[in-house]
Amino acid sequence: MPNQDQAKPLAVVTGGGTGIGRAVAELLAESGYQVVALGLDRDENLSAAVTFRKVDLTDTAASIDALPAGRPVAGLVNCAGMLRHQQEWETAAFEQVMRINVTASFAFATALLDRLQAAGGAVVNCPSSNDLRLFGLWKNGV
């Protein structure tokens, strides 16, 4: 007999342990989804209805492994993002931020494509322009 979570549609939220991602993850859980939040950080009081998995999102294979095996994915919400204040114009910092804010979102969605299609799922990217310098460029790249 499947557990109660397996009967719910699966939603995945990158950056789902803090900030906007957390709000999205908790709202999806309240709306009847089984939610897996992926990222490096989580708030201590993250809802128990959200399963948090600590994972480096630039490692697509590890991100996939953090999900329930083989389950169709009804929704992927990419909220993970980072900013390197005072380092925006350093090439290494720019590349690191691009890996998280753009490349990881694309790679993860692509890796989940079959599972998203199996559920008739959707991908939502949450760009932010919280910083009017390069952050908007990075996040709007998705």
Side-chain angles (χ1 to χ4, degrees), residues 119-138:
V123 177
V124 176
N125 294 310
C126 296
S128 170
S129 56
N130 127 333
D131 186 306
L132 296 178
R133 293 171 286 187
L134 293 179
F135 190 69
L137 166 72
W138 294 319

mmCIF file with all atom_site columns, all heavy atoms in Angstrom, residues 119-138:
data_model
loop_
_atom_site.group_PDB
_atom_site.id
_atom_site.type_symbol
_atom_site.label_atom_id
_atom_site.label_alt_id
_atom_site.label_comp_id
_atom_site.label_asym_id
_atom_site.label_entity_id
_atom_site.label_seq_id
_atom_site.pdbx_PDB_ins_code
_atom_site.Cartn_x
_atom_site.Cartn_y
_atom_site.Cartn_z
_atom_site.occupancy
_atom_site.B_iso_or_equiv
_atom_site.pdbx_formal_charge
_atom_site.auth_seq_id
_atom_site.auth_comp_id
_atom_site.auth_asym_id
_atom_site.auth_atom_id
_atom_site.pdbx_PDB_model_num
ATOM 1   N N   . ALA A 1 119 ? 3.915  13.499 -15.769 1.00 0.00 ? 119 ALA A N   1
ATOM 2   C CA  . ALA A 1 119 ? 2.894  14.051 -14.874 1.00 0.00 ? 119 ALA A CA  1
ATOM 3   C C   . ALA A 1 119 ? 2.109  15.185 -15.521 1.00 0.00 ? 119 ALA A C   1
ATOM 4   O O   . ALA A 1 119 ? 1.204  15.740 -14.896 1.00 0.00 ? 119 ALA A O   1
ATOM 5   C CB  . ALA A 1 119 ? 3.562  14.563 -13.593 1.00 0.00 ? 119 ALA A CB  1
ATOM 6   N N   . GLY A 1 120 ? 2.449  15.536 -16.760 1.00 0.00 ? 120 GLY A N   1
ATOM 7   C CA  . GLY A 1 120 ? 1.839  16.725 -17.357 1.00 0.00 ? 120 GLY A CA  1
ATOM 8   C C   . GLY A 1 120 ? 2.256  17.965 -16.583 1.00 0.00 ? 120 GLY A C   1
ATOM 9   O O   . GLY A 1 120 ? 1.495  18.916 -16.438 1.00 0.00 ? 120 GLY A O   1
ATOM 10  N N   . GLY A 1 121 ? 3.481  17.924 -16.070 1.00 0.00 ? 121 GLY A N   1
ATOM 11  C CA  . GLY A 1 121 ? 3.979  18.956 -15.165 1.00 0.00 ? 121 GLY A CA  1
ATOM 12  C C   . GLY A 1 121 ? 4.434  20.231 -15.848 1.00 0.00 ? 121 GLY A C   1
ATOM 13  O O   . GLY A 1 121 ? 4.423  20.348 -17.074 1.00 0.00 ? 121 GLY A O   1
ATOM 14  N N   . ALA A 1 122 ? 4.827  21.180 -15.022 1.00 0.00 ? 122 ALA A N   1
ATOM 15  C CA  . ALA A 1 122 ? 5.257  22.489 -15.499 1.00 0.00 ? 122 ALA A CA  1
ATOM 16  C C   . ALA A 1 122 ? 6.500  22.939 -14.749 1.00 0.00 ? 122 ALA A C   1
ATOM 17  O O   . ALA A 1 122 ? 6.774  22.483 -13.644 1.00 0.00 ? 122 ALA A O   1
ATOM 18  C CB  . ALA A 1 122 ? 4.140  23.507 -15.290 1.00 0.00 ? 122 ALA A CB  1
ATOM 19  N N   . VAL A 1 123 ? 7.230  23.853 -15.382 1.00 0.00 ? 123 VAL A N   1
ATOM 20  C CA  . VAL A 1 123 ? 8.405  24.460 -14.771 1.00 0.00 ? 123 VAL A CA  1
ATOM 21  C C   . VAL A 1 123 ? 8.112  25.950 -14.593 1.00 0.00 ? 123 VAL A C   1
ATOM 22  O O   . VAL A 1 123 ? 7.646  26.611 -15.519 1.00 0.00 ? 123 VAL A O   1
ATOM 23  C CB  . VAL A 1 123 ? 9.663  24.292 -15.657 1.00 0.00 ? 123 VAL A CB  1
ATOM 24  C CG1 . VAL A 1 123 ? 10.867 25.001 -15.036 1.00 0.00 ? 123 VAL A CG1 1
ATOM 25  C CG2 . VAL A 1 123 ? 9.961  22.819 -15.891 1.00 0.00 ? 123 VAL A CG2 1
ATOM 26  N N   . VAL A 1 124 ? 8.393  26.451 -13.394 1.00 0.00 ? 124 VAL A N   1
ATOM 27  C CA  . VAL A 1 124 ? 8.254  27.873 -13.110 1.00 0.00 ? 124 VAL A CA  1
ATOM 28  C C   . VAL A 1 124 ? 9.615  28.371 -12.644 1.00 0.00 ? 124 VAL A C   1
ATOM 29  O O   . VAL A 1 124 ? 10.185 27.821 -11.696 1.00 0.00 ? 124 VAL A O   1
ATOM 30  C CB  . VAL A 1 124 ? 7.199  28.141 -12.014 1.00 0.00 ? 124 VAL A CB  1
ATOM 31  C CG1 . VAL A 1 124 ? 7.143  29.627 -11.674 1.00 0.00 ? 124 VAL A CG1 1
ATOM 32  C CG2 . VAL A 1 124 ? 5.836  27.622 -12.448 1.00 0.00 ? 124 VAL A CG2 1
ATOM 33  N N   . ASN A 1 125 ? 10.138 29.375 -13.327 1.00 0.00 ? 125 ASN A N   1
ATOM 34  C CA  . ASN A 1 125 ? 11.402 29.983 -12.926 1.00 0.00 ? 125 ASN A CA  1
ATOM 35  C C   . ASN A 1 125 ? 11.100 31.311 -12.247 1.00 0.00 ? 125 ASN A C   1
ATOM 36  O O   . ASN A 1 125 ? 10.278 32.087 -12.738 1.00 0.00 ? 125 ASN A O   1
ATOM 37  C CB  . ASN A 1 125 ? 12.306 30.205 -14.146 1.00 0.00 ? 125 ASN A CB  1
ATOM 38  C CG  . ASN A 1 125 ? 12.745 28.898 -14.748 1.00 0.00 ? 125 ASN A CG  1
ATOM 39  O OD1 . ASN A 1 125 ? 13.216 28.007 -14.063 1.00 0.00 ? 125 ASN A OD1 1
ATOM 40  N ND2 . ASN A 1 125 ? 12.573 28.760 -16.046 1.00 0.00 ? 125 ASN A ND2 1
ATOM 41  N N   . CYS A 1 126 ? 11.746 31.532 -11.133 1.00 0.00 ? 126 CYS A N   1
ATOM 42  C CA  . CYS A 1 126 ? 11.500 32.745 -10.329 1.00 0.00 ? 126 CYS A CA  1
ATOM 43  C C   . CYS A 1 126 ? 12.685 33.682 -10.424 1.00 0.00 ? 126 CYS A C   1
ATOM 44  O O   . CYS A 1 126 ? 13.553 33.683 -9.554  1.00 0.00 ? 126 CYS A O   1
ATOM 45  C CB  . CYS A 1 126 ? 11.271 32.372 -8.871  1.00 0.00 ? 126 CYS A CB  1
ATOM 46  S SG  . CYS A 1 126 ? 9.812  31.386 -8.609  1.00 0.00 ? 126 CYS A SG  1
ATOM 47  N N   . PRO A 1 127 ? 12.736 34.481 -11.478 1.00 0.00 ? 127 PRO A N   1
ATOM 48  C CA  . PRO A 1 127 ? 13.815 35.458 -11.553 1.00 0.00 ? 127 PRO A CA  1
ATOM 49  C C   . PRO A 1 127 ? 13.577 36.565 -10.544 1.00 0.00 ? 127 PRO A C   1
ATOM 50  O O   . PRO A 1 127 ? 12.453 36.774 -10.101 1.00 0.00 ? 127 PRO A O   1
ATOM 51  C CB  . PRO A 1 127 ? 13.733 35.982 -12.980 1.00 0.00 ? 127 PRO A CB  1
ATOM 52  C CG  . PRO A 1 127 ? 12.315 35.789 -13.365 1.00 0.00 ? 127 PRO A CG  1
ATOM 53  C CD  . PRO A 1 127 ? 11.845 34.565 -12.622 1.00 0.00 ? 127 PRO A CD  1
ATOM 54  N N   . SER A 1 128 ? 14.637 37.218 -10.182 1.00 0.00 ? 128 SER A N   1
ATOM 55  C CA  . SER A 1 128 ? 14.526 38.306 -9.220  1.00 0.00 ? 128 SER A CA  1
ATOM 56  C C   . SER A 1 128 ? 15.433 39.433 -9.670  1.00 0.00 ? 128 SER A C   1
ATOM 57  O O   . SER A 1 128 ? 16.483 39.199 -10.243 1.00 0.00 ? 128 SER A O   1
ATOM 58  C CB  . SER A 1 128 ? 14.962 37.807 -7.847  1.00 0.00 ? 128 SER A CB  1
ATOM 59  O OG  . SER A 1 128 ? 15.080 38.873 -6.948  1.00 0.00 ? 128 SER A OG  1
ATOM 60  N N   . SER A 1 129 ? 15.031 40.612 -9.395  1.00 0.00 ? 129 SER A N   1
ATOM 61  C CA  . SER A 1 129 ? 15.918 41.740 -9.688  1.00 0.00 ? 129 SER A CA  1
ATOM 62  C C   . SER A 1 129 ? 16.146 42.515 -8.402  1.00 0.00 ? 129 SER A C   1
ATOM 63  O O   . SER A 1 129 ? 16.091 43.715 -8.352  1.00 0.00 ? 129 SER A O   1
ATOM 64  C CB  . SER A 1 129 ? 15.348 42.626 -10.785 1.00 0.00 ? 129 SER A CB  1
ATOM 65  O OG  . SER A 1 129 ? 14.068 43.067 -10.434 1.00 0.00 ? 129 SER A OG  1
ATOM 66  N N   . ASN A 1 130 ? 16.409 41.767 -7.338  1.00 0.00 ? 130 ASN A N   1
ATOM 67  C CA  . ASN A 1 130 ? 16.624 42.356 -6.028  1.00 0.00 ? 130 ASN A CA  1
ATOM 68  C C   . ASN A 1 130 ? 17.839 43.279 -6.028  1.00 0.00 ? 130 ASN A C   1
ATOM 69  O O   . ASN A 1 130 ? 17.945 44.138 -5.196  1.00 0.00 ? 130 ASN A O   1
ATOM 70  C CB  . ASN A 1 130 ? 16.678 41.212 -5.017  1.00 0.00 ? 130 ASN A CB  1
ATOM 71  C CG  . ASN A 1 130 ? 17.857 41.130 -4.114  1.00 0.00 ? 130 ASN A CG  1
ATOM 72  O OD1 . ASN A 1 130 ? 18.943 41.585 -4.415  1.00 0.00 ? 130 ASN A OD1 1
ATOM 73  N ND2 . ASN A 1 130 ? 17.651 40.499 -2.996  1.00 0.00 ? 130 ASN A ND2 1
ATOM 74  N N   . ASP A 1 131 ? 18.736 43.094 -6.941  1.00 0.00 ? 131 ASP A N   1
ATOM 75  C CA  . ASP A 1 131 ? 19.913 43.958 -7.066  1.00 0.00 ? 131 ASP A CA  1
ATOM 76  C C   . ASP A 1 131 ? 19.901 44.494 -8.485  1.00 0.00 ? 131 ASP A C   1
ATOM 77  O O   . ASP A 1 131 ? 19.796 43.737 -9.436  1.00 0.00 ? 131 ASP A O   1
ATOM 78  C CB  . ASP A 1 131 ? 21.183 43.156 -6.809  1.00 0.00 ? 131 ASP A CB  1
ATOM 79  C CG  . ASP A 1 131 ? 22.411 44.032 -6.790  1.00 0.00 ? 131 ASP A CG  1
ATOM 80  O OD1 . ASP A 1 131 ? 22.633 44.770 -7.764  1.00 0.00 ? 131 ASP A OD1 1
ATOM 81  O OD2 . ASP A 1 131 ? 23.163 43.970 -5.804  1.00 0.00 ? 131 ASP A OD2 1
ATOM 82  N N   . LEU A 1 132 ? 19.985 45.779 -8.643  1.00 0.00 ? 132 LEU A N   1
ATOM 83  C CA  . LEU A 1 132 ? 19.844 46.373 -9.966  1.00 0.00 ? 132 LEU A CA  1
ATOM 84  C C   . LEU A 1 132 ? 21.097 46.279 -10.817 1.00 0.00 ? 132 LEU A C   1
ATOM 85  O O   . LEU A 1 132 ? 21.094 46.724 -11.944 1.00 0.00 ? 132 LEU A O   1
ATOM 86  C CB  . LEU A 1 132 ? 19.407 47.836 -9.829  1.00 0.00 ? 132 LEU A CB  1
ATOM 87  C CG  . LEU A 1 132 ? 18.033 48.002 -9.191  1.00 0.00 ? 132 LEU A CG  1
ATOM 88  C CD1 . LEU A 1 132 ? 17.710 49.488 -9.056  1.00 0.00 ? 132 LEU A CD1 1
ATOM 89  C CD2 . LEU A 1 132 ? 16.954 47.287 -9.971  1.00 0.00 ? 132 LEU A CD2 1
ATOM 90  N N   . ARG A 1 133 ? 22.132 45.655 -10.289 1.00 0.00 ? 133 ARG A N   1
ATOM 91  C CA  . ARG A 1 133 ? 23.334 45.507 -11.100 1.00 0.00 ? 133 ARG A CA  1
ATOM 92  C C   . ARG A 1 133 ? 23.247 44.188 -11.866 1.00 0.00 ? 133 ARG A C   1
ATOM 93  O O   . ARG A 1 133 ? 22.344 44.009 -12.668 1.00 0.00 ? 133 ARG A O   1
ATOM 94  C CB  . ARG A 1 133 ? 24.571 45.596 -10.221 1.00 0.00 ? 133 ARG A CB  1
ATOM 95  C CG  . ARG A 1 133 ? 24.725 47.015 -9.628  1.00 0.00 ? 133 ARG A CG  1
ATOM 96  C CD  . ARG A 1 133 ? 25.796 47.071 -8.615  1.00 0.00 ? 133 ARG A CD  1
ATOM 97  N NE  . ARG A 1 133 ? 25.289 46.411 -7.408  1.00 0.00 ? 133 ARG A NE  1
ATOM 98  C CZ  . ARG A 1 133 ? 25.923 46.378 -6.260  1.00 0.00 ? 133 ARG A CZ  1
ATOM 99  N NH1 . ARG A 1 133 ? 27.096 46.921 -6.140  1.00 0.00 ? 133 ARG A NH1 1
ATOM 100 N NH2 . ARG A 1 133 ? 25.403 45.783 -5.226  1.00 0.00 ? 133 ARG A NH2 1
ATOM 101 N N   . LEU A 1 134 ? 24.113 43.247 -11.621 1.00 0.00 ? 134 LEU A N   1
ATOM 102 C CA  . LEU A 1 134 ? 24.148 42.023 -12.417 1.00 0.00 ? 134 LEU A CA  1
ATOM 103 C C   . LEU A 1 134 ? 23.158 40.954 -11.981 1.00 0.00 ? 134 LEU A C   1
ATOM 104 O O   . LEU A 1 134 ? 22.848 40.062 -12.756 1.00 0.00 ? 134 LEU A O   1
ATOM 105 C CB  . LEU A 1 134 ? 25.563 41.436 -12.394 1.00 0.00 ? 134 LEU A CB  1
ATOM 106 C CG  . LEU A 1 134 ? 26.612 42.279 -13.095 1.00 0.00 ? 134 LEU A CG  1
ATOM 107 C CD1 . LEU A 1 134 ? 27.971 41.606 -12.981 1.00 0.00 ? 134 LEU A CD1 1
ATOM 108 C CD2 . LEU A 1 134 ? 26.270 42.496 -14.539 1.00 0.00 ? 134 LEU A CD2 1
ATOM 109 N N   . PHE A 1 135 ? 22.637 41.024 -10.756 1.00 0.00 ? 135 PHE A N   1
ATOM 110 C CA  . PHE A 1 135 ? 21.745 39.975 -10.285 1.00 0.00 ? 135 PHE A CA  1
ATOM 111 C C   . PHE A 1 135 ? 20.540 39.820 -11.201 1.00 0.00 ? 135 PHE A C   1
ATOM 112 O O   . PHE A 1 135 ? 20.132 38.715 -11.531 1.00 0.00 ? 135 PHE A O   1
ATOM 113 C CB  . PHE A 1 135 ? 21.309 40.251 -8.845  1.00 0.00 ? 135 PHE A CB  1
ATOM 114 C CG  . PHE A 1 135 ? 20.590 39.098 -8.204  1.00 0.00 ? 135 PHE A CG  1
ATOM 115 C CD1 . PHE A 1 135 ? 21.272 37.937 -7.890  1.00 0.00 ? 135 PHE A CD1 1
ATOM 116 C CD2 . PHE A 1 135 ? 19.240 39.169 -7.915  1.00 0.00 ? 135 PHE A CD2 1
ATOM 117 C CE1 . PHE A 1 135 ? 20.623 36.876 -7.292  1.00 0.00 ? 135 PHE A CE1 1
ATOM 118 C CE2 . PHE A 1 135 ? 18.582 38.121 -7.322  1.00 0.00 ? 135 PHE A CE2 1
ATOM 119 C CZ  . PHE A 1 135 ? 19.280 36.962 -7.005  1.00 0.00 ? 135 PHE A CZ  1
ATOM 120 N N   . GLY A 1 136 ? 19.975 40.928 -11.626 1.00 0.00 ? 136 GLY A N   1
ATOM 121 C CA  . GLY A 1 136 ? 18.833 40.863 -12.540 1.00 0.00 ? 136 GLY A CA  1
ATOM 122 C C   . GLY A 1 136 ? 19.185 40.170 -13.843 1.00 0.00 ? 136 GLY A C   1
ATOM 123 O O   . GLY A 1 136 ? 18.422 39.369 -14.361 1.00 0.00 ? 136 GLY A O   1
ATOM 124 N N   . LEU A 1 137 ? 20.367 40.433 -14.366 1.00 0.00 ? 137 LEU A N   1
ATOM 125 C CA  . LEU A 1 137 ? 20.834 39.757 -15.570 1.00 0.00 ? 137 LEU A CA  1
ATOM 126 C C   . LEU A 1 137 ? 20.913 38.262 -15.341 1.00 0.00 ? 137 LEU A C   1
ATOM 127 O O   . LEU A 1 137 ? 20.423 37.472 -16.137 1.00 0.00 ? 137 LEU A O   1
ATOM 128 C CB  . LEU A 1 137 ? 22.203 40.306 -15.992 1.00 0.00 ? 137 LEU A CB  1
ATOM 129 C CG  . LEU A 1 137 ? 22.970 39.468 -17.029 1.00 0.00 ? 137 LEU A CG  1
ATOM 130 C CD1 . LEU A 1 137 ? 22.295 39.591 -18.375 1.00 0.00 ? 137 LEU A CD1 1
ATOM 131 C CD2 . LEU A 1 137 ? 24.419 39.893 -17.095 1.00 0.00 ? 137 LEU A CD2 1
ATOM 132 N N   . TRP A 1 138 ? 21.512 37.855 -14.223 1.00 0.00 ? 138 TRP A N   1
ATOM 133 C CA  . TRP A 1 138 ? 21.680 36.441 -13.945 1.00 0.00 ? 138 TRP A CA  1
ATOM 134 C C   . TRP A 1 138 ? 20.332 35.737 -13.824 1.00 0.00 ? 138 TRP A C   1
ATOM 135 O O   . TRP A 1 138 ? 20.078 34.742 -14.456 1.00 0.00 ? 138 TRP A O   1
ATOM 136 C CB  . TRP A 1 138 ? 22.454 36.223 -12.654 1.00 0.00 ? 138 TRP A CB  1
ATOM 137 C CG  . TRP A 1 138 ? 23.864 36.668 -12.688 1.00 0.00 ? 138 TRP A CG  1
ATOM 138 C CD1 . TRP A 1 138 ? 24.760 36.507 -13.715 1.00 0.00 ? 138 TRP A CD1 1
ATOM 139 C CD2 . TRP A 1 138 ? 24.576 37.349 -11.663 1.00 0.00 ? 138 TRP A CD2 1
ATOM 140 N NE1 . TRP A 1 138 ? 25.961 37.054 -13.387 1.00 0.00 ? 138 TRP A NE1 1
ATOM 141 C CE2 . TRP A 1 138 ? 25.889 37.572 -12.126 1.00 0.00 ? 138 TRP A CE2 1
ATOM 142 C CE3 . TRP A 1 138 ? 24.237 37.802 -10.396 1.00 0.00 ? 138 TRP A CE3 1
ATOM 143 C CZ2 . TRP A 1 138 ? 26.853 38.201 -11.375 1.00 0.00 ? 138 TRP A CZ2 1
ATOM 144 C CZ3 . TRP A 1 138 ? 25.197 38.431 -9.646  1.00 0.00 ? 138 TRP A CZ3 1
ATOM 145 C CH2 . TRP A 1 138 ? 26.496 38.637 -10.129 1.00 0.00 ? 138 TRP A CH2 1
#
